[in-house]
Amino acid sequence: MSIKMRSNESLVLSTAWREHFEANRNPTEDLPWDDPYRLTPSERRAVERSVQQFQLGEGAQGRRLLARGQAYARATGDIVFPEALTLFIREEQRHSGQLLRFMLLQGIPAVGKHWVDSVFRWVRVLAGLELELRVLVTAEVIAVPYYRALGRATRSALLRSLSDRILEDEAWHLQFQASMLSRLEAQRSRFLRRLIWQAHRWFLAGTCCVVWIEHRSVFTAAGRSFRGLLRDALSEFAGLERAAGLHGAEARQIGLTKRFLPSGAASPERRASQ
Ligand SMILES: [Fe+2]
Ligand SMILES: [Fe+2]
């Protein structure tokens, strides 16, 4: 495969992702914002600090990520990628805004800093585009069991709907990341790819321990255990690895990428191939 073909394929994929994020920019606001339910004191204790931290993390500006995305665009000729990345970052910021709105309704103040968030940002400062995406995707993978638990940690219908809505977006985000990682590692040998994915898996397992320490009140309120968190995160990660490894025509052929998609939705990459 020539460089030019790879560049064209990358451009087609990024264009499809830009279209997806644009179409999802102003989703129908069907969340029950007027739900009068107020968290009980024990529910509030279970979710308050945790939601504050996720609201902070989802609201990142992503300036450095974007600068790295622009460097990637210059190197590969995929000039649409930074636009797709910008829209992706805005979608994360929408999650932050929605969590903030929920917090304000419940009288929960926002926080400006948290050590886990600071450590994540610091690690990403040291990294190149791929490592930064891998750190980011670790948070995306863990977001799946987290929002599943958050939606079930209280009797708030609003928090349940909001968590389900964010989960739908996160399913697409994992697919977007799989597409990006597969492009970045396309030139590597199978052995090296396996080695990197294995190291990433250990990083994920370590991060699950930190997440459990910081957010266990949410998981236990939802009846989830650490083993359940780890099992769910590793299962999402295995799907991500398969999707990244089998991206392109082969993945489309066997429909594997559908695993990450909300039911009935067509993958942007499927649309791009049509
Ligand atoms: Fe998010
Ligand atoms: Fe996300």
Side-chain angles (χ1 to χ4, degrees), residues 15-262:
T15 305
W17 279 105
R18 182 186 63 187
E19 281 172 15
H20 163 75
F21 287 124
E22 258 166 9
N24 202 33
R25 208 166 177 174
N26 299 304
T28 353
E29 190 54 279
D30 52 1
L31 296 171
W33 290 112
D34 52 1
D35 174 27
Y37 184 77
R38 289 289 165 267
L39 299 179
T40 64
S42 68
E43 285 177 335
R44 189 176 160 131
R45 273 196 303 280
V47 303
E48 179 168 334
R49 282 188 58 242
S50 175
V51 173
Q52 283 172 326
Q53 192 184 324
F54 266 76
Q55 190 271 327
L56 181 66
E58 297 264 26
Q61 297 293 311
R63 276 191 287 265
R64 197 183 40 256
L65 178 61
L66 208 50
R68 286 178 173 145
Q70 277 153 354
Y72 168 82
R74 281 193 296 276
T76 61
D78 179 359
I79 51 167
V80 181
F81 177 67
E83 294 173 41
L85 198 57
T86 302
L87 291 167
F88 157 76
I89 292 166
R90 284 207 195 126
E91 195 157 289
E92 296 291 19
Q93 289 170 341
R94 171 156 53 78
H95 296 166
S96 176
Q98 288 170 322
L99 287 173
L100 181 62
R101 188 169 169 189
F102 168 78
M103 287 159 60
L104 293 176
L105 284 170
Q106 298 290 340
I108 297 174
V111 293
K113 212 173 178 180
H114 189 280
W115 74 267
V116 173
D117 193 57
S118 304
V119 169
F120 257 70
R121 283 172 199 232
W122 179 74
V123 172
R124 285 160 58 185
V125 165
L126 302 176
L129 177 63
E130 180 177 353
L131 197 50
E132 176 150 15
L133 283 175
R134 283 188 179 273
V135 173
L136 185 67
V137 86
T138 306
E140 304 257 47
V141 163
I142 291 176
V144 175
Y146 175 76
Y147 282 110
R148 270 185 205 143
L150 184 65
R152 277 129 197 92
T154 74
R155 277 169 295 163
S156 164
L158 172 58
L159 189 55
R160 178 179 279 238
S161 303
L162 178 53
S163 299
D164 288 347
R165 183 71 188 79
I166 292 177
L167 274 170
E168 283 177 25
D169 291 339
E170 297 301 344
W172 288 96
H173 292 181
L174 282 172
Q175 184 65 15
F176 177 58
Q177 306 289 359
S179 142
M180 231 6 256
L181 287 173
S182 76
R183 281 183 257 174
L184 290 170
E185 66 177 13
Q187 303 306 306
R188 286 191 194 127
S189 69
R190 196 184 179 82
F191 174 75
L192 189 55
R193 280 205 305 268
R194 288 227 163 137
L195 202 65
I196 291 170
W197 279 97
Q198 188 56 36
H200 192 169
R201 201 182 327 276
W202 281 108
F203 179 70
L204 172 70
T207 310
C208 280
C209 296
V210 176
V211 167
W212 178 257
I213 291 165
E214 285 294 310
H215 302 277
R216 75 187 285 168
S217 57
V218 168
F219 289 99
T220 51
R224 304 281 159 96
S225 63
F226 174 70
R227 282 180 69 158
L229 161 66
L230 194 60
R231 194 183 49 234
D232 285 359
L234 288 174
S235 156
E236 291 298 324
F237 188 79
L240 177 82
E241 183 180 357
R242 277 198 300 275
L246 286 171
H247 235 265
E250 193 181 355
R252 286 195 291 274
Q253 201 181 340
I254 63 172
L256 183 69
T257 52
K258 280 182 96 174
R259 185 183 179 283
F260 289 119
L261 303 179

